[in-house]
Amino acid sequence: MANVLLIESVINKEDITYKHLEMLDLLKTLEISPNYFVKQELSEPYTKTYLGSGKVHEIYELIMAYNIDLVVCNFDLTPVQYMALKDRFDVEILDRTGVILQIFSRKAKSKEARLQAEIANLKYLKSRLVDKEANYSQVTSGGGFRNKGSGEKQIDLDRNKYKVLLKRKEVELEKLVVQRKNNRKTRFNLPVMAIVGYTNAGKSTLLNQLLKKSNTKESKSIIQEDKLFATLETSTRLIDIYEYPYFLLTDTVGFISNLPTMLVEAFKSTLEEISDADLLIHVVDVSNPNYLEQINVTKSILKELNCENIPTVYLYNKIDKCKSIPFIPKRNELLVSLKDFEDLKQILDLIFNEIKEKWEYLELEVPFSKNVYMIKKYGFVENLEMLDDNFLVKGYFPSYHKKYLKSILDD
């Protein structure tokens, strides 16, 4: 069993309980369990080593005394800080970004997700190539027509190698991005909902529960685990539930605080699915004491993706784990347990009550000879009356479905 040391820093006496628990969850996803812990209070990180020299020496002695195999830093290190600590400790070091990147690398299943994780890793590793005169020998000598000056250093060759590999991966990913965009163009005109939220809030659970209730094949369910970043692939499914309109539901990768920039960049093509949505379904783990902070993290990432103005409903999940009702929900909010099948009707009503604001209100007279229930598949029907000669349907319908309604009524 590996010996793992977790280092944490307290900047200006901040409360790090939440950060500590989140890191333990991240490490659990990697099946890593720290058995030694070190903490230091700082007014600000040291430029060269992040930690003070006395604390660095203390950690070194711990590594020697207890044969530490891995040092995990619950903060991000600059390339200079990483190299300084690596030289001092002489063991594997993972900072917070490194931990998240390892999770993405292990969890990526589809070709697109693997490429995105590889690109993010390459950018991260390239940033770790620090120019240190003492450690990088010159690999070509000076002199001659082509080699004026001191010659090319090994670090320059390494950077070039990463650059070439990174370019190749980005070209591969771009081909898949174009293919994904073309696939989106061929979709039928249907409302599109995107599930967003903090990692492990219950997004995949929502999609799978709706699939179970849907007439679509349940075999298209997606993986759900009680772990951070259980799902990295963006999955879109057709939802066909009795008495509700057809709609497309997209599950997206979960967010986390301080999501590494290279990951946001690498996964932007996947996250573009969010920008195409008519409605966002923001799933929140309300049982988490830091759920408000998690909401703000999700909102900030959505803003970065230019998706902050898309209409949104909030599902405050895991209410069954709360000792009491935390608050009275607003018009576009619900307190739910996504494991409870009975909550799905409330969720569907909430979704369509919100999305109908963009649709046109219509009153349709439908002959008895027509399949009136088929009309419900193309809009949100609020009232259905049986008159003497026909049905009177009152509801909201998107403009792109008028031709389908006409074909049903005229057929």
Side-chain angles (χ1 to χ4, degrees):
M1 181 178 175
N3 288 323
V4 181
L5 171 65
L6 176 60
I7 305 173
E8 298 182 286
S9 66
V10 181
I11 308 294
N12 293 323
K13 298 183 178 180
E14 65 179 328
D15 182 4
I16 66 163
T17 304
Y18 173 58
K19 288 168 64 177
H20 172 76
L21 294 174
E22 187 170 81
M23 176 53 76
L24 292 182
D25 282 341
L26 287 168
L27 293 174
K28 179 184 174 183
T29 304
L30 289 174
E31 299 179 347
I32 293 173
S33 179
N35 40 8
Y36 299 96
F37 300 86
V38 169
K39 186 189 298 182
Q40 183 175 30
E41 291 192 11
L42 297 166
S43 57
E44 60 181 6
Y46 287 83
T47 303
K48 186 175 180 182
T49 55
Y50 194 98
L51 305 164
S53 57
K55 186 60 68 173
V56 170
H57 181 70
E58 177 190 328
I59 293 169
Y60 172 76
E61 290 187 331
L62 274 173
I63 292 170
M64 294 296 104
Y66 297 104
N67 295 315
I68 302 296
D69 304 291
L70 172 66
V71 170
V72 178
C73 300
N74 196 4
F75 43 82
D76 281 326
L77 297 168
T78 66
V80 170
Q81 291 164 348
Y82 172 81
M83 289 303 300
L85 294 181
K86 179 80 173 171
D87 288 349
R88 182 72 173 115
F89 299 155
D90 197 27
V91 294
E92 185 180 356
I93 297 175
L94 280 177
D95 65 0
R96 190 174 182 282
T97 292
V99 169
I100 295 173
L101 287 174
Q102 285 222 0
I103 293 172
F104 273 62
S105 296
R106 290 192 192 184
K107 292 287 183 178
K109 297 291 187 290
S110 69
K111 183 177 181 181
E112 186 174 5
R114 287 197 302 270
L115 278 171
Q116 289 165 329
E118 286 171 11
I119 288 169
N121 264 305
L122 283 169
K123 289 180 177 178
Y124 177 72
L125 291 173
K126 188 182 176 192
S127 75
R128 288 294 184 253
L129 294 174
V130 182
D131 190 357
K132 296 180 65 181
E133 294 290 344
N135 289 347
Y136 289 99
S137 59
Q138 295 174 356
V139 295
T140 57
S141 59
F145 178 73
R146 296 180 182 275
N147 292 308
K148 293 184 178 181
S150 60
E152 190 174 10
K153 296 179 181 178
Q154 181 64 48
I155 187 170
D156 296 321
L157 294 183
D158 289 341
R159 282 177 175 153
N160 188 57
K161 179 178 68 177
Y162 276 105
K163 186 177 179 181
V164 170
L165 186 55
L166 181 61
K167 183 64 178 176
R168 192 170 75 209
K169 297 292 181 182
E170 287 175 335
V171 169
E172 285 184 60
L173 179 61
E174 183 57 33
K175 290 179 181 177
L176 292 178
V177 170
V178 171
Q179 184 179 331
R180 178 187 284 275
K181 286 180 178 177
N182 289 336
N183 289 340
R184 286 207 297 268
K185 288 177 184 177
T186 61
R187 287 177 182 169
F188 296 109
N189 276 331
L190 290 173
V192 179
M193 325 285 188
I195 310 171
V196 299
Y198 214 77
T199 180
N200 205 31
K203 298 184 302 301
S204 298
T205 302
L206 173 61
L207 189 146
N208 285 336
Q209 288 288 69
L210 288 170
L211 277 175
K212 287 177 185 177
K213 199 173 178 68
S214 174
N215 292 319
T216 49
K217 293 182 180 179
E218 194 174 321
S219 60
K220 289 187 177 181
S221 62
I222 59 176
I223 296 171
Q224 60 183 73
E225 296 178 286
D226 188 20
K227 290 182 179 179
L228 302 190
F229 300 114
T231 306
L232 292 186
E233 282 72 23
T234 294
S235 306
T236 299
R237 300 288 186 268
L238 172 66
I239 305 297
D240 171 14
I241 295 176
Y242 181 67
E243 293 203 333
Y244 288 96
Y246 297 116
F247 66 98
L248 294 173
L249 185 61
T250 297
D251 183 29
T252 60
V253 61
F255 300 145
I256 197 168
S257 60
N258 300 313
L259 190 65
T261 303
M262 64 277 292
L263 270 176
V264 175
E265 285 297 321
F267 277 76
K268 254 183 180 174
S269 60
T270 301
L271 294 171
E272 280 179 1
E273 296 277 350
I274 298 174
S275 63
D276 285 341
D278 299 292
L279 181 75
L280 301 184
I281 304 171
H282 188 162
V283 180
V284 180
D285 177 3
V286 74
S287 70
N288 190 304
N290 298 96
Y291 75 91
L292 290 174
E293 182 179 337
Q294 294 181 351
I295 290 172
N296 289 332
V297 167
T298 300
K299 284 182 175 179
S300 67
I301 295 174
L302 289 173
K303 186 174 182 179
E304 191 175 341
L305 296 168
N306 297 316
C307 298
E308 72 272 24
N309 294 322
I310 299 175
T312 305
V313 296
Y314 293 84
L315 301 184
Y316 291 93
N317 185 30
K318 306 185 186 181
I319 188 63
D320 53 306
K321 293 185 178 181
C322 298
K323 293 180 180 178
S324 60
I325 302 298
F327 56 85
I328 303 300
K330 299 175 184 176
R331 182 188 63 83
N332 63 335
E333 300 175 342
L334 268 182
L335 295 170
V336 297
S337 171
L338 291 176
K339 291 182 179 179
D340 189 345
F341 220 57
E342 293 181 2
D343 281 353
L344 291 184
K345 186 180 187 315
Q346 291 185 70
I347 292 169
L348 288 165
D349 285 340
L350 177 73
I351 288 170
F352 285 104
N353 272 315
E354 187 68 29
I355 204 169
K356 75 178 185 183
E357 300 298 323
K358 289 184 172 182
W359 294 355
E360 183 180 350
Y361 176 77
L362 296 175
E363 294 187 4
L364 305 171
E365 293 185 359
V366 183
F368 289 141
S369 59
K370 305 299 181 182
N371 183 356
V372 69
Y373 291 99
M374 195 62 197
I375 290 176
K376 292 187 175 185
K377 291 300 174 188
Y378 295 101
F380 187 47
V381 175
E382 291 194 321
N383 189 264
L384 174 61
E385 296 179 46
M386 184 182 290
L387 305 179
D388 292 337
D389 301 320
N390 52 40
F391 293 106
L392 178 61
V393 177
K394 299 177 181 179
Y396 294 83
F397 300 85
S399 58
Y400 50 77
H401 276 168
K402 282 186 177 180
K403 61 181 179 181
Y404 295 114
L405 294 173
K406 190 175 186 304
S407 66
I408 292 172
L409 295 174
D410 292 346
D411 188 18

